[in-house]
Amino acid sequence: MKRKYFITALLFLFFAGSVILYGDIGGKSGRTRKNSTAGCGSCHGSSANSGVSVTIDGPDTVNVGQTNQYSLTISMAGKTGAGLDISKRLGTLAPVSSNTHLSNNELVHSSNIPMTSSTVTVQFSYTAPQSTAIDTIWATALATNSNGGTGGDSWNWAPNKSIVVRLPVGIQNISTARDFSISQNYPNPFNPETNIKIDLLKDMNISVNILDVLGDEVSTIQSGRLDKGEHIIKWNGLNFPSGVYYYEVKGDEFSSAPGQTFTLIKKMLLLK
């Protein structure tokens, strides 16, 4: 009988130890800057490591209720695997890559994600809320040695991804606005002046508005008819604080579709 109890105790300690060692192998939520300053430090080193590159890519502006695909890229020299935690403020996340799943409404890895040449890109979808807002996606990522342990692992945060959620009326993506286009402002970042280039295929009414990070209009720098061709519109941010801004270009295709407007938006950074 004593032998039986002894074996049972050993089995209990073995499985308990396994839970402690491998309990987070399927991902752990609550590790992003949304609700923690510890990151992955409880298991994988106390401090973020700048050697781990973590970036979120995807649209900066979406319509209310719209679903778009985003990606998280993780890389670090010498590492072979990765883990992640992706959270949001308002919208809804869903896995696209098969090696992720939802946990507490956050996306986490299902197992160690293999890297190729020390990098990996994971796809996911984001569905915007049903009302206008400035939403945020946060991410924390782990670069591993793919050995089942924590020794030598490193982690870092991704720069926060801000998303402008706007009403869909009159808003089109730059690729579908056939009669005009806008380019990324230059220089960017800038201090205090930057240039916004607009290319028109025909005469149009054009307005250019500057929005702050909350989506509020802070300045109008162009309003009225412009001839077809290339135009450079300048904005001087001397009297504005450093930060992320958006330039919103509205075009009225009065010559072919009276009253129909298209809005294109891009992000820029004023850095003083």
Side-chain angles (χ1 to χ4, degrees):
M1 183 65 68
K2 290 182 179 180
R3 177 182 173 82
K4 179 180 179 181
Y5 284 136
F6 178 73
I7 293 174
T8 301
L10 284 177
L11 289 172
F12 174 80
L13 289 173
F14 173 79
F15 285 110
S18 298
V19 170
I20 293 172
L21 181 59
Y22 298 110
D24 297 334
I25 194 67
K28 188 172 184 179
S29 60
R31 300 293 94 193
T32 72
R33 279 176 164 157
K34 176 184 178 181
N35 46 27
S36 173
T37 58
C40 302
S42 58
C43 298
H44 302 279
S46 59
S47 301
N49 185 337
S50 60
V52 183
S53 173
V54 191
T55 56
I56 304 171
D57 293 304
D60 294 326
T61 305
V62 300
N63 297 342
V64 295
Q66 184 180 24
T67 298
N68 287 276
Q69 185 163 304
Y70 288 75
S71 63
L72 182 74
T73 299
I74 309 163
S75 60
M76 184 179 188
K79 300 303 179 183
T80 59
L84 57 87
D85 179 20
I86 306 171
S87 63
K88 43 69 186 178
R89 186 165 67 93
L90 297 172
T92 302
L93 301 175
V96 173
S97 296
S98 59
N99 44 23
T100 61
H101 68 278
L102 282 173
S103 175
N104 299 318
N105 296 316
E106 299 181 7
L107 278 174
V108 298
H109 55 276
S110 300
S111 59
N112 184 66
I113 303 172
M115 287 183 171
T116 301
S117 300
S118 299
T119 189
V120 66
T121 297
V122 176
Q123 308 292 334
F124 64 97
S125 71
Y126 163 82
T127 301
Q130 295 296 326
S131 57
T132 58
I134 301 294
D135 205 353
T136 304
I137 297 177
W138 295 271
T140 303
L142 177 69
T144 78
N145 293 315
S146 302
N147 59 9
T150 61
D153 293 349
S154 298
W155 62 273
N156 200 7
W157 288 290
N160 297 347
K161 177 75 170 179
S162 296
I163 303 173
V164 176
V165 182
R166 302 184 64 81
L167 293 174
V169 177
I171 297 179
Q172 291 198 0
N173 185 276
I174 190 168
S175 62
T176 60
R178 296 167 297 179
D179 296 321
F180 78 100
S181 64
I182 60 176
S183 302
Q184 185 64 53
N185 65 297
Y186 63 93
N188 187 46
F190 63 96
N191 179 30
E193 189 172 83
T194 192
N195 302 284
I196 299 168
K197 188 176 82 167
I198 305 171
D199 290 305
L200 304 179
L201 297 183
K202 59 186 178 182
D203 299 349
M204 299 182 73
N205 288 324
I206 293 290
S207 64
V208 181
N209 303 309
I210 306 300
L211 313 177
D212 63 16
V213 73
L214 298 178
D216 296 326
E217 184 179 310
V218 297
S219 180
T220 297
I221 57 177
Q222 159 65 32
S223 180
R225 178 168 176 152
L226 292 177
D227 296 334
K228 70 176 182 178
E230 180 181 293
H231 299 268
I232 304 296
I233 311 297
K234 295 182 181 294
W235 184 54
N236 192 311
L238 180 64
N239 297 321
F240 294 85
S242 295
V244 172
Y245 292 86
Y246 298 85
Y247 52 100
E248 174 189 66
V249 182
K250 293 182 178 181
D252 181 1
E253 298 186 293
F254 57 87
S255 60
S256 60
Q260 185 175 7
T261 62
F262 298 93
T263 302
L264 307 179
I265 299 175
K266 282 187 176 291
K267 182 169 68 172
M268 58 184 174
L269 178 62
L270 174 59
L271 191 59
K272 296 182 175 180

